[in-house]
Amino acid sequence: MPELPEVETVCRGLRPLVGARITAAAAHRADLRAPLPRNLGKRLTGRAITGITRRAKYILVALDGGETLLLHLGMSGRMTLSHDNAPLQKHDHISLATDNGFFVRFNDPRRFGYCDLVATDKLSNHKLLRGLGIEPLSKDFTPDALAAILKNRNTSIKAALLDQKHVVGIGNIYACEALFRAGINPSRPAHKITRAEIAALAAAIRDVLRAAIKAGGSTLRDYVQADGELGYFQHNFAVYGRAGLPCPGCTCDVTKTGGIKRIAQNGRSSFYCATKQK
DNA sequence: CTTTCGTCCTGACTGC
DNA sequence: TGCAGTCAGGACGAAA
């Protein structure tokens, strides 16, 4: 479930490719969430990789010749980097080789992922990028900015945080974690969050994302590991996936409170501590 | 305009 | 052991 920190970590793990040239490339099926670009392998072969950056949950691989490879990991997408040209594995959909000795695979069992090859100067107009909201780790993400987003929004705070039109990069896990850190119940209407809570929430979002990136970065020192997989690491979640377990830092008796609560919101599970999140 | 809901997909897991 | 059912979730696009 790659959210902003995982995508950021994948980007950093792919950094050894910057400056390299693609010597071979191939797509192994015609579509993921959307059709793959036609002749993708041919169009990538021979191109130099000039930069790798992230926008929201998208990976942007800048190429010479004025094009950018736009990737999204969807729900189950993984990138692996290896020095061995191992046989294709199940669900390996795109593969690349570079002139500095790397073999890259995009693997995605559920095929919610996305890949497009677009003109770099038109990237910001791409239909999947143009509607995106503020980067939560940018200086633009202030309490004022978050207040403007939540004002007049007649949905739950949890749903508002997940909506990429407003703030990008937050998925189900970090929405739950940030709301826990800020002490806000996920069911609260977005427009009823107080000014003080908004400031706490903005800080909580930044902190939880930064901490996760830091945890991911620590796994990247040896970026070509046994399996070469990038961007997934041990998480310590306070509430996510912990229904019925004690809330960290809570002194309540779990046998009385039932521990972390789990509810469904917009078809997704939300986890929270009813004692700490009001 | 805003908001919700259905859809895509496979693998892990549960219960019979 | 097998099989059906459920759940997980990012984001688009349709519907309300």
Side-chain angles (χ1 to χ4, degrees):
Chain A
M1 48 211 93
E3 304 182 24
L4 185 153
E6 291 78 20
V7 178
E8 179 65 31
T9 305
V10 170
C11 286
R12 293 180 187 188
L14 292 174
R15 198 167 282 165
L17 302 178
V18 175
R21 193 169 291 277
I22 298 169
T23 54
H28 308 296
R29 60 173 299 119
D31 54 64
L32 296 175
R33 192 174 88 212
L36 293 171
R38 288 191 181 278
N39 305 314
L40 180 65
K42 264 185 194 165
R43 292 172 66 188
L44 292 177
T45 302
R47 313 290 288 277
I49 295 170
T50 58
I52 296 179
T53 54
R54 179 191 59 75
R55 168 72 173 121
K57 298 174 192 169
Y58 291 88
I59 300 167
L60 280 54
V61 181
L63 304 170
D64 66 356
E67 284 192 309
T68 293
L69 184 66
L70 178 61
L71 297 169
H72 194 291
L73 300 174
M75 167 53 197
S76 57
R78 288 150 196 269
M79 303 289 295
T80 58
L81 201 56
S82 162
H83 288 303
D84 305 310
N85 192 11
L88 281 185
Q89 304 217 341
K90 197 175 184 184
H91 309 306
D92 276 348
H93 304 312
I94 299 169
S95 50
L96 301 176
T98 61
D99 65 358
N100 60 343
F102 286 105
F103 297 90
V104 187
R105 299 278 169 81
F106 180 101
N107 182 288
D108 183 10
R110 292 182 208 175
R111 308 209 301 267
F112 283 17
Y114 180 84
C115 172
D116 201 2
L117 186 58
V118 299
T120 301
D121 60 0
K122 291 179 180 158
L123 198 53
S124 58
N125 287 327
H126 190 278
K127 65 172 184 167
L128 297 185
L129 298 184
R130 69 180 166 221
L132 292 172
I134 301 180
E135 285 287 337
L137 297 181
S138 74
K139 62 180 186 326
D140 295 337
F141 186 62
T142 59
D144 280 347
L146 184 55
I149 286 165
L150 300 181
K151 191 182 173 190
N152 299 329
R153 193 118 284 135
N154 194 26
T155 187
S156 70
I157 183 62
K158 165 88 182 307
L161 292 182
L162 289 178
D163 191 335
Q164 306 292 303
K165 289 195 301 288
H166 310 313
V167 184
V168 301
I170 303 171
N172 202 42
I173 294 172
Y174 294 106
C176 292
E177 295 295 309
L179 288 167
F180 170 77
R181 288 191 180 215
I184 298 169
N185 187 300
S187 299
R188 291 263 302 282
H191 68 273
K192 287 191 177 171
I193 308 298
T194 67
R195 181 65 202 200
E197 288 173 325
I198 289 172
L201 181 56
I205 289 167
R206 276 196 305 270
D207 291 349
V208 76
L209 295 177
R210 282 201 182 120
I213 290 171
K214 195 173 174 187
S218 69
T219 69
L220 278 181
R221 271 171 301 209
D222 181 16
Y223 50 79
V224 180
Q225 300 167 41
D227 60 359
E229 183 173 314
L230 298 173
Y232 294 83
F233 37 91
Q234 283 298 319
H235 295 276
N236 289 313
F237 299 131
V239 289
Y240 184 81
R242 291 175 49 82
L245 295 172
C247 153
C250 221
T251 54
C252 318
D253 182 352
V254 181
T255 61
K256 288 177 185 164
T257 65
I260 302 293
K261 297 277 184 293
R262 170 182 166 170
I263 59 170
Q265 287 183 282
N266 306 90
R268 305 269 158 79
S269 288
S270 294
F271 299 88
Y272 68 102
C273 170
T275 305
K276 299 189 82 165
Q277 294 173 257
K278 298 298 183 188

mmCIF file of all heavy atoms in Angstrom, chain A residues 72 110 112 240 262 268-269, chain C residues 7-13:
data_model
loop_
_atom_site.group_PDB
_atom_site.id
_atom_site.type_symbol
_atom_site.label_atom_id
_atom_site.label_comp_id
_atom_site.label_asym_id
_atom_site.label_seq_id
_atom_site.Cartn_x
_atom_site.Cartn_y
_atom_site.Cartn_z
ATOM 1 N N HIS A 72 2.908 4.945 -11.436
ATOM 2 C CA HIS A 72 2.169 4.908 -10.169
ATOM 3 C C HIS A 72 2.128 3.460 -9.721
ATOM 4 O O HIS A 72 1.890 2.560 -10.530
ATOM 5 C CB HIS A 72 0.761 5.459 -10.362
ATOM 6 C CG HIS A 72 0.048 5.760 -9.070
ATOM 7 N ND1 HIS A 72 -0.376 4.776 -8.209
ATOM 8 C CD2 HIS A 72 -0.307 6.930 -8.491
ATOM 9 C CE1 HIS A 72 -0.965 5.337 -7.164
ATOM 10 N NE2 HIS A 72 -0.938 6.645 -7.303
ATOM 11 N N ARG A 110 -1.916 -6.750 -8.557
ATOM 12 C CA ARG A 110 -3.314 -6.318 -8.731
ATOM 13 C C ARG A 110 -3.518 -5.392 -9.918
ATOM 14 O O ARG A 110 -4.640 -5.034 -10.237
ATOM 15 C CB ARG A 110 -3.815 -5.660 -7.451
ATOM 16 C CG ARG A 110 -3.930 -6.674 -6.346
ATOM 17 C CD ARG A 110 -4.460 -6.082 -5.074
ATOM 18 N NE ARG A 110 -3.941 -6.863 -3.973
ATOM 19 C CZ ARG A 110 -4.125 -6.583 -2.707
ATOM 20 N NH1 ARG A 110 -4.798 -5.527 -2.357
ATOM 21 N NH2 ARG A 110 -3.624 -7.344 -1.774
ATOM 22 N N PHE A 112 -3.293 -2.303 -10.334
ATOM 23 C CA PHE A 112 -3.873 -0.977 -10.141
ATOM 24 C C PHE A 112 -2.851 0.091 -10.500
ATOM 25 O O PHE A 112 -3.131 1.272 -10.423
ATOM 26 C CB PHE A 112 -4.282 -0.770 -8.687
ATOM 27 C CG PHE A 112 -5.554 -1.453 -8.289
ATOM 28 C CD1 PHE A 112 -6.097 -2.465 -9.069
ATOM 29 C CD2 PHE A 112 -6.215 -1.078 -7.144
ATOM 30 C CE1 PHE A 112 -7.268 -3.096 -8.693
ATOM 31 C CE2 PHE A 112 -7.389 -1.703 -6.747
ATOM 32 C CZ PHE A 112 -7.916 -2.712 -7.526
ATOM 33 N N TYR A 240 -3.185 1.903 13.049
ATOM 34 C CA TYR A 240 -3.565 1.186 11.824
ATOM 35 C C TYR A 240 -3.385 -0.321 11.984
ATOM 36 O O TYR A 240 -2.309 -0.800 12.372
ATOM 37 C CB TYR A 240 -2.762 1.667 10.612
ATOM 38 C CG TYR A 240 -3.223 0.994 9.353
ATOM 39 C CD1 TYR A 240 -4.356 1.441 8.685
ATOM 40 C CD2 TYR A 240 -2.596 -0.140 8.879
ATOM 41 C CE1 TYR A 240 -4.830 0.796 7.563
ATOM 42 C CE2 TYR A 240 -3.061 -0.804 7.756
ATOM 43 C CZ TYR A 240 -4.181 -0.325 7.109
ATOM 44 O OH TYR A 240 -4.650 -0.985 6.003
ATOM 45 N N ARG A 262 -12.237 0.030 15.237
ATOM 46 C CA ARG A 262 -12.199 -0.032 13.773
ATOM 47 C C ARG A 262 -13.592 0.236 13.233
ATOM 48 O O ARG A 262 -14.558 -0.409 13.622
ATOM 49 C CB ARG A 262 -11.726 -1.407 13.326
ATOM 50 C CG ARG A 262 -11.880 -1.633 11.838
ATOM 51 C CD ARG A 262 -11.430 -3.031 11.496
ATOM 52 N NE ARG A 262 -11.858 -3.392 10.160
ATOM 53 C CZ ARG A 262 -11.433 -4.484 9.539
ATOM 54 N NH1 ARG A 262 -10.593 -5.290 10.136
ATOM 55 N NH2 ARG A 262 -11.853 -4.755 8.344
ATOM 56 N N ARG A 268 -13.709 2.148 3.541
ATOM 57 C CA ARG A 268 -12.352 1.874 4.014
ATOM 58 C C ARG A 268 -12.367 1.715 5.526
ATOM 59 O O ARG A 268 -13.168 2.350 6.215
ATOM 60 C CB ARG A 268 -11.410 3.050 3.707
ATOM 61 C CG ARG A 268 -11.370 3.454 2.292
ATOM 62 C CD ARG A 268 -10.281 2.709 1.559
ATOM 63 N NE ARG A 268 -10.541 2.675 0.146
ATOM 64 C CZ ARG A 268 -10.299 3.679 -0.675
ATOM 65 N NH1 ARG A 268 -9.784 4.774 -0.213
ATOM 66 N NH2 ARG A 268 -10.567 3.577 -1.936
ATOM 67 N N SER A 269 -11.444 0.960 6.036
ATOM 68 C CA SER A 269 -11.320 0.830 7.472
ATOM 69 C C SER A 269 -10.617 2.046 8.061
ATOM 70 O O SER A 269 -9.610 2.500 7.525
ATOM 71 C CB SER A 269 -10.504 -0.413 7.818
ATOM 72 O OG SER A 269 -11.260 -1.573 7.548
ATOM 73 P P DC C 7 -16.257 -8.192 4.095
ATOM 74 O OP1 DC C 7 -16.833 -7.826 5.389
ATOM 75 O OP2 DC C 7 -16.881 -7.740 2.832
ATOM 76 O "O5'" DC C 7 -14.734 -7.733 4.081
ATOM 77 C "C5'" DC C 7 -13.822 -8.357 4.975
ATOM 78 C "C4'" DC C 7 -12.418 -8.058 4.518
ATOM 79 O "O4'" DC C 7 -12.104 -8.842 3.361
ATOM 80 C "C3'" DC C 7 -12.196 -6.594 4.127
ATOM 81 O "O3'" DC C 7 -11.235 -6.036 4.998
ATOM 82 C "C2'" DC C 7 -11.692 -6.651 2.680
ATOM 83 C "C1'" DC C 7 -11.252 -8.100 2.525
ATOM 84 N N1 DC C 7 -11.399 -8.660 1.161
ATOM 85 C C2 DC C 7 -10.292 -9.288 0.555
ATOM 86 O O2 DC C 7 -9.226 -9.332 1.165
ATOM 87 N N3 DC C 7 -10.443 -9.820 -0.683
ATOM 88 C C4 DC C 7 -11.615 -9.744 -1.300
ATOM 89 N N4 DC C 7 -11.706 -10.292 -2.515
ATOM 90 C C5 DC C 7 -12.744 -9.112 -0.699
ATOM 91 C C6 DC C 7 -12.595 -8.589 0.517
ATOM 92 P P DA C 8 -11.116 -4.457 5.122
ATOM 93 O OP1 DA C 8 -10.862 -4.168 6.544
ATOM 94 O OP2 DA C 8 -12.232 -3.811 4.400
ATOM 95 O "O5'" DA C 8 -9.794 -4.178 4.303
ATOM 96 C "C5'" DA C 8 -8.593 -4.846 4.667
ATOM 97 C "C4'" DA C 8 -7.605 -4.666 3.549
ATOM 98 O "O4'" DA C 8 -7.926 -5.574 2.489
ATOM 99 C "C3'" DA C 8 -7.667 -3.281 2.914
ATOM 100 O "O3'" DA C 8 -6.682 -2.452 3.522
ATOM 101 C "C2'" DA C 8 -7.333 -3.531 1.449
ATOM 102 C "C1'" DA C 8 -7.460 -5.036 1.272
ATOM 103 N N9 DA C 8 -8.407 -5.447 0.252
ATOM 104 C C8 DA C 8 -9.719 -5.095 0.139
ATOM 105 N N7 DA C 8 -10.336 -5.648 -0.881
ATOM 106 C C5 DA C 8 -9.339 -6.414 -1.485
ATOM 107 C C6 DA C 8 -9.336 -7.240 -2.613
ATOM 108 N N6 DA C 8 -10.414 -7.457 -3.368
ATOM 109 N N1 DA C 8 -8.181 -7.863 -2.940
ATOM 110 C C2 DA C 8 -7.107 -7.653 -2.181
ATOM 111 N N3 DA C 8 -6.980 -6.898 -1.090
ATOM 112 C C4 DA C 8 -8.149 -6.295 -0.793
ATOM 113 P P DG C 9 -7.014 -0.983 3.800
ATOM 114 O OP1 DG C 9 -6.016 -0.583 4.798
ATOM 115 O OP2 DG C 9 -8.460 -0.788 4.033
ATOM 116 O "O5'" DG C 9 -6.663 -0.295 2.416
ATOM 117 C "C5'" DG C 9 -5.335 -0.399 1.900
ATOM 118 C "C4'" DG C 9 -5.389 -0.071 0.440
ATOM 119 O "O4'" DG C 9 -6.167 -1.042 -0.243
ATOM 120 C "C3'" DG C 9 -6.056 1.301 0.148
ATOM 121 O "O3'" DG C 9 -5.258 2.013 -0.772
ATOM 122 C "C2'" DG C 9 -7.366 0.926 -0.521
ATOM 123 C "C1'" DG C 9 -6.961 -0.362 -1.191
ATOM 124 N N9 DG C 9 -8.070 -1.191 -1.659
ATOM 125 C C8 DG C 9 -9.401 -1.020 -1.395
ATOM 126 N N7 DG C 9 -10.168 -1.866 -2.015
ATOM 127 C C5 DG C 9 -9.292 -2.666 -2.736
ATOM 128 C C6 DG C 9 -9.535 -3.749 -3.596
ATOM 129 O O6 DG C 9 -10.605 -4.241 -3.920
ATOM 130 N N1 DG C 9 -8.359 -4.276 -4.113
ATOM 131 C C2 DG C 9 -7.111 -3.811 -3.827
ATOM 132 N N2 DG C 9 -6.095 -4.437 -4.401
ATOM 133 N N3 DG C 9 -6.859 -2.792 -3.016
ATOM 134 C C4 DG C 9 -7.988 -2.262 -2.514
ATOM 135 P P DG C 10 -4.787 3.455 -0.391
ATOM 136 O OP1 DG C 10 -3.492 3.330 0.269
ATOM 137 O OP2 DG C 10 -5.853 4.255 0.229
ATOM 138 O "O5'" DG C 10 -4.561 4.014 -1.857
ATOM 139 C "C5'" DG C 10 -3.449 3.583 -2.615
ATOM 140 C "C4'" DG C 10 -3.540 4.153 -4.016
ATOM 141 O "O4'" DG C 10 -4.487 3.389 -4.790
ATOM 142 C "C3'" DG C 10 -4.024 5.591 -4.085
ATOM 143 O "O3'" DG C 10 -3.329 6.211 -5.157
ATOM 144 C "C2'" DG C 10 -5.517 5.475 -4.330
ATOM 145 C "C1'" DG C 10 -5.629 4.167 -5.119
ATOM 146 N N9 DG C 10 -6.782 3.332 -4.781
ATOM 147 C C8 DG C 10 -7.339 3.151 -3.543
ATOM 148 N N7 DG C 10 -8.323 2.291 -3.547
ATOM 149 C C5 DG C 10 -8.417 1.874 -4.870
ATOM 150 C C6 DG C 10 -9.293 0.955 -5.484
ATOM 151 O O6 DG C 10 -10.192 0.291 -4.961
ATOM 152 N N1 DG C 10 -9.050 0.831 -6.846
ATOM 153 C C2 DG C 10 -8.071 1.506 -7.527
ATOM 154 N N2 DG C 10 -7.977 1.259 -8.823
ATOM 155 N N3 DG C 10 -7.240 2.368 -6.961
ATOM 156 C C4 DG C 10 -7.475 2.513 -5.639
ATOM 157 P P DA C 11 -3.627 7.699 -5.516
ATOM 158 O OP1 DA C 11 -2.436 8.173 -6.232
ATOM 159 O OP2 DA C 11 -4.122 8.399 -4.317
ATOM 160 O "O5'" DA C 11 -4.811 7.624 -6.576
ATOM 161 C "C5'" DA C 11 -4.553 6.995 -7.823
ATOM 162 C "C4'" DA C 11 -5.819 6.991 -8.631
ATOM 163 O "O4'" DA C 11 -6.759 6.064 -8.051
ATOM 164 C "C3'" DA C 11 -6.541 8.344 -8.692
ATOM 165 O "O3'" DA C 11 -6.989 8.513 -10.008
ATOM 166 C "C2'" DA C 11 -7.717 8.143 -7.754
ATOM 167 C "C1'" DA C 11 -8.022 6.688 -8.041
ATOM 168 N N9 DA C 11 -8.859 6.020 -7.061
ATOM 169 C C8 DA C 11 -8.946 6.269 -5.715
ATOM 170 N N7 DA C 11 -9.802 5.492 -5.096
ATOM 171 C C5 DA C 11 -10.308 4.688 -6.103
ATOM 172 C C6 DA C 11 -11.263 3.662 -6.096
ATOM 173 N N6 DA C 11 -11.896 3.254 -4.999
ATOM 174 N N1 DA C 11 -11.538 3.060 -7.274
ATOM 175 C C2 DA C 11 -10.909 3.476 -8.375
ATOM 176 N N3 DA C 11 -9.992 4.432 -8.489
ATOM 177 C C4 DA C 11 -9.729 5.004 -7.310
ATOM 178 P P DC C 12 -7.226 9.946 -10.578
ATOM 179 O OP1 DC C 12 -5.946 10.432 -11.100
ATOM 180 O OP2 DC C 12 -7.983 10.771 -9.635
ATOM 181 O "O5'" DC C 12 -8.153 9.574 -11.815
ATOM 182 C "C5'" DC C 12 -7.796 8.457 -12.622
ATOM 183 C "C4'" DC C 12 -9.063 7.727 -13.017
ATOM 184 O "O4'" DC C 12 -9.660 7.089 -11.869
ATOM 185 C "C3'" DC C 12 -10.122 8.648 -13.611
ATOM 186 O "O3'" DC C 12 -10.511 8.122 -14.851
ATOM 187 C "C2'" DC C 12 -11.256 8.649 -12.588
ATOM 188 C "C1'" DC C 12 -11.061 7.312 -11.882
ATOM 189 N N1 DC C 12 -11.529 7.275 -10.475
ATOM 190 C C2 DC C 12 -12.459 6.300 -10.080
ATOM 191 O O2 DC C 12 -12.874 5.491 -10.921
ATOM 192 N N3 DC C 12 -12.872 6.269 -8.786
ATOM 193 C C4 DC C 12 -12.398 7.153 -7.917
ATOM 194 N N4 DC C 12 -12.830 7.069 -6.665
ATOM 195 C C5 DC C 12 -11.457 8.141 -8.301
ATOM 196 C C6 DC C 12 -11.051 8.176 -9.578
ATOM 197 P P DG C 13 -11.203 9.062 -15.933
ATOM 198 O OP1 DG C 13 -10.742 8.577 -17.243
ATOM 199 O OP2 DG C 13 -11.030 10.485 -15.552
ATOM 200 O "O5'" DG C 13 -12.749 8.706 -15.780
ATOM 201 C "C5'" DG C 13 -13.147 7.354 -15.920
ATOM 202 C "C4'" DG C 13 -14.571 7.219 -15.449
ATOM 203 O "O4'" DG C 13 -14.605 7.230 -13.990
ATOM 204 C "C3'" DG C 13 -15.493 8.360 -15.892
ATOM 205 O "O3'" DG C 13 -16.733 7.778 -16.242
ATOM 206 C "C2'" DG C 13 -15.606 9.228 -14.651
ATOM 207 C "C1'" DG C 13 -15.592 8.151 -13.571
ATOM 208 N N9 DG C 13 -15.240 8.598 -12.237
ATOM 209 C C8 DG C 13 -14.357 9.605 -11.877
ATOM 210 N N7 DG C 13 -14.266 9.763 -10.585
ATOM 211 C C5 DG C 13 -15.122 8.813 -10.051
ATOM 212 C C6 DG C 13 -15.432 8.509 -8.700
ATOM 213 O O6 DG C 13 -15.003 9.035 -7.684
ATOM 214 N N1 DG C 13 -16.361 7.475 -8.619
ATOM 215 C C2 DG C 13 -16.916 6.808 -9.693
ATOM 216 N N2 DG C 13 -17.779 5.851 -9.425
ATOM 217 N N3 DG C 13 -16.624 7.091 -10.961
ATOM 218 C C4 DG C 13 -15.731 8.093 -11.061
#
